[in-house]
Structures are given as structure tokens and as C-alpha cells.
Amino acid sequence: MKSYRIDYLKENQIRDYINNQVGLETSNREIADSILGSRVQILETDLPNKINTSEKGIPGGVATLGVDGLLSENQRPNIPNLGDIGLFVYQPGGLASGNIFTSFTDLYTAVSGSLKRFPKTILFDSSFLGNGDRFSIPDGNYDFDSETILRSDKGSLLKNSRLDLRSNQILFTGLPSFEDCVLDVASRTVPLITKEIAFIFARLKNCQFVWDDTTSCSFISFSKDLSSPISLAEIEISNNSNTFDSFFSLLEIFPGISVYIDCLNDTVIQGQFAKPGGGGVGGYLIFQPDASSFVEPSSVGLYGSNAEIFRKSLRSPNFDTGLDFSASSGSASALPPFPAGYLKIKFQNTDKVIPIYDPPSP
């Protein structure tokens, strides 16, 4: 009897143990099936977008990163160094090679692509031009921004080799800087550069303009960017001497704009430098000559009441540390016979001597 009871208890324990194990295994398998189903579903979603190993790190494939988290060196694109990016040469009649172009169209294509926003200089090389020959520029719209400098070699000035801008179909939608250039605008009747501005800066250094009585335009026309609350332009003119007239002026300024002209390094401005745009009084024109430069009062008068001259301090002729009104010429009676001293200055590129008197003399 005792043996039977013991056997019975053992059988029940064994049965309970087996049932527990079966239940546990069933539960584990159900969980595993659910996880497997989720993973299969993820694979089904991801498989169409997979990238084969054979497609990684090869031309036309997918780039891969190095251990530093950057694009692997052997997969980085080959680009010119900064020196190559910075200088492009237009050499008519020469031999095209690298950054030297004999076609202006090809040069513009090169600089207007991925390099458009890089600072760069376009050098007009006159090595293969004769005296008086022009640099031919095809008709078209050219978007040269303020990061671009158009510069001629020194031989161009000696040969009088000009940038041929005579066609009305040559238009700049941006405002580059010009250095050492002879700019031929004869017979133009529309501005070369027409620009709506908010803020802009450009430089004219050692440049000459060529025009005639068939010319009837300004070189640059500024109008206000209506999306901007204010519009300011600053043009630095260095070592230039031009007498503008009714046929050709440097600027056309529409209302709502303030244009500051920094005159540096023996710059002389005479004649109809700027014209009001829009048939009205135009925007504000402020000349800021340094001690070596001269702005003819007629240039102010011809523009109108919105033009003024603020001469930079004689103590710091090349730094904008302070502004005061320019003096006006005239005469005074009964000056003392012996001035306190003399000041030697450059006036219209000639030496002049100004007597200096102690106050309260005139």
C-alpha cells in the first residue's frame, strides 16, 4: 500500500513537470515565431532598398565612409587646388590648356558651374593681340558676382587692348570688380550692368573708359530691391581719372538707394559721373575722397541736390576713421603777410602749396 502511494506521487510529479516543460516550450516557440515573423517583415521591406557589396566604393556606385567618419580619400572627387580655382586666363589667339582659355564662352562655362561662388580672377591676357586689338566678348547674359575680378595684364594698357563691350546684347546681371582694364562702351545705349540691390560692393582700380557721341547710357544702373528695407552700394574707385559727359556716365541711381563712392590714390572725378534714374531726383550719392583725390564740384551739381562730398580726414587719408565736410574754394581779403606755415598737396595730379594761418584768421 505504501509503495503504491509513493509510485502515485512520483507519477504526478513527473506529469506536472512534463506539462510545465511542454507549456514553457510552447510559449517560447510562439514568442520566437512572432520575432521571426517581425524580422521577416523587416527584411521584406528592406530588401528592395539593399545595396550590394559590389556597388560600394566604386565609380557609379555608393560612397563609403572611413573610420574617421569622413568620405574615404580614394573616393573623394579630384578638384583643382585653390590656386587653380582662383585664376582663369582668357588668351585670344593662344593655346588652350588647363585654366587658359582661347574662347570666352568656354571660360564662362568653366567659372559659372560649381566654381561660381568661389573668389576668382579672370585675367585678360594680351600676349597674342596687336596694338589696339580688342578682347572679343560674345553677346549674352553673364552672371559675374561680387566675388569675381576682371583684370587685364599690364600689356593691355600699353597696347590699348580693350574689353569689347560695345554690343547692347552683352549684359552683366551681377557686379564684378574691374582692375587695369580699358573698357570700350562706344555705341552702347543700355547699361552694361543692371542690378536690383540690397547691399553690394565693387571696385574699379586703374581703369579707363572709351566712348563716343554714339554712346547714350550709364555703365551701371542701380535700382532698389523691393524686398529689402534699405539699399546700400559702395564702390571703391582707385587710381582712376575720367571726365564723364552727357553721352556716358558711370552710374544711374534710382530712388531709395544710397551709393557711397570711395575715391582713393589720385582718383580724379569730373563731369556727369552719375545720373538720377527713373526721371526723378534719384537716390543719394556720397563722394568720399581721400587726401590724394579730387571730386570736381560740377559732378555733384550735375547729379542734383541728393549728391554731397564728404572728405576723409587728412590725418588718415586711406582709412575711414572720420568724415567732415569738404572745403569750398574762394578768396579772403586782408590776409596776414606771413602765414604760420604751408601745406603741400596733390591737386589734379599736380603739386600745390596752401598757406596755413593761425585762428582767428580766415
Side-chain angles (χ1 to χ4, degrees), residues 104 120-124 144 148-152 163 172 176-181 207:
F104 192 82
K120 54 190 169 293
T121 297
I122 297 176
L123 177 66
F124 291 79
F144 293 123
T148 303
I149 299 173
L150 303 183
R151 181 167 65 88
S152 297
L163 273 62
F172 287 8
S177 293
F178 297 86
E179 296 184 5
D180 302 323
C181 293
C207 292

Side-chain angles (χ1 to χ4, degrees), residues 122-145:
I122 297 176
L123 177 66
F124 291 79
D125 184 349
S126 64
S127 298
F128 295 89
L129 295 181
N131 291 336
D133 288 346
R134 295 181 175 89
F135 290 98
S136 176
I137 298 178
D139 291 348
N141 292 344
Y142 299 98
D143 186 14
F144 293 123
D145 59 18

Side-chain angles (χ1 to χ4, degrees), residues 200-215:
I200 202 164
F201 171 83
R203 178 182 292 109
L204 281 171
K205 180 180 179 182
N206 195 29
C207 292
Q208 302 173 23
F209 292 95
V210 177
W211 70 91
D212 57 24
D213 58 5
T214 65
T215 310

Side-chain angles (χ1 to χ4, degrees), residues 204-209 236-242 264-269:
L204 281 171
K205 180 180 179 182
N206 195 29
C207 292
Q208 302 173 23
F209 292 95
E236 181 182 293
I237 301 180
S238 177
N239 195 29
N240 283 265
S241 179
N242 288 280
L264 311 174
N265 302 325
D266 296 321
T267 290
V268 177
I269 292 178

